[in-house]
Amino acid sequence: MAANGGEAGAPSDTSEDLFQAFYSEVKQIEKRDSVFTPKQQIERLLRPGASYFNLNPFEVLQIDPDATDEEIKKRFRQLSFLVHPDKNQDDADRAQKAFEAVDKAYRLLLDPEQKKRAVDVIHAGKEYIEHMMSQKRKQLKKEGKSTVLEEDDPEVFKQAVYKQTMKLFAELEIKRKERDAKEMHERKRQREEEIETQEKAKREREWQKHFEESRDGRVDSWRNFQAKGKTKKEKSTRTFLKPPKVKMEQRE
């Protein structure tokens, strides 16, 4: 999923507004480990734009992509305890939603294939920023300017990677929804064709059944028709006896 030149890794402009909230969060990355109270965690998991923030399971669990399975399990137990509805009965509905987000992220990371995909997205975000930095340096060098970049600051670089990673996760989610909608439409079309085929077969069976049931009546009608025709033919071909010729008496 590495970026290969141009703007290939960048998402569409139509989703740009959805990511504006990301900037308000990036400054909190370094401080996020201090956010441990139930209320703070619930607010974090349900903040504006959470549907996109929470696409990154590592961000949901606040754990590094290279964390071991044991570390992921430990972090899940901590977070699930903090946001569990039973522990937040004064805000049970929101706590339930937060708990579901944590549980979903944990289950995703339990799947090796899904975990690898998430790691690949994060790596792709980093590679994209590195690629863009390389392109900027080349351009600055060509123009005879300083090649020192803002992203050379580790914090700025981390923030840029964070934002790009979120965008990539969002783009993949948009594509997934479009693919699901297309597949659903195709399944609906196929189902409609199946129903039409079944209805057609049903009509044909009913017609055949009616045809079989009415066969005796048709045979009887045909026989009666033939019998009547034969009678008429016999009448038309009947011969009548002619009266004998009377010989005239001859007189002498």
Side-chain angles (χ1 to χ4, degrees), residues 195-208:
I195 293 175
E196 177 60 26
T197 300
Q198 292 172 358
E199 290 294 329
K200 183 178 179 180
K202 181 180 178 181
R203 290 193 298 269
E204 290 178 350
R205 288 195 301 269
E206 291 176 349
W207 184 89
Q208 186 65 30

Side-chain angles (χ1 to χ4, degrees), residues 133-152:
M133 289 174 66
S134 176
Q135 295 297 309
K136 287 180 181 179
R137 289 189 202 281
K138 290 180 180 179
Q139 184 62 32
L140 290 171
K141 185 177 181 180
K142 183 178 180 180
E143 296 173 355
K145 299 179 180 179
S146 172
T147 57
V148 177
L149 301 175
E150 183 182 8
E151 290 84 359
D152 288 333

Side-chain angles (χ1 to χ4, degrees), residues 201-215 218:
K202 181 180 178 181
R203 290 193 298 269
E204 290 178 350
R205 288 195 301 269
E206 291 176 349
W207 184 89
Q208 186 65 30
K209 180 180 179 182
H210 177 73
F211 180 84
E212 295 293 337
E213 290 176 347
S214 62
R215 175 179 293 176
R218 293 196 307 276

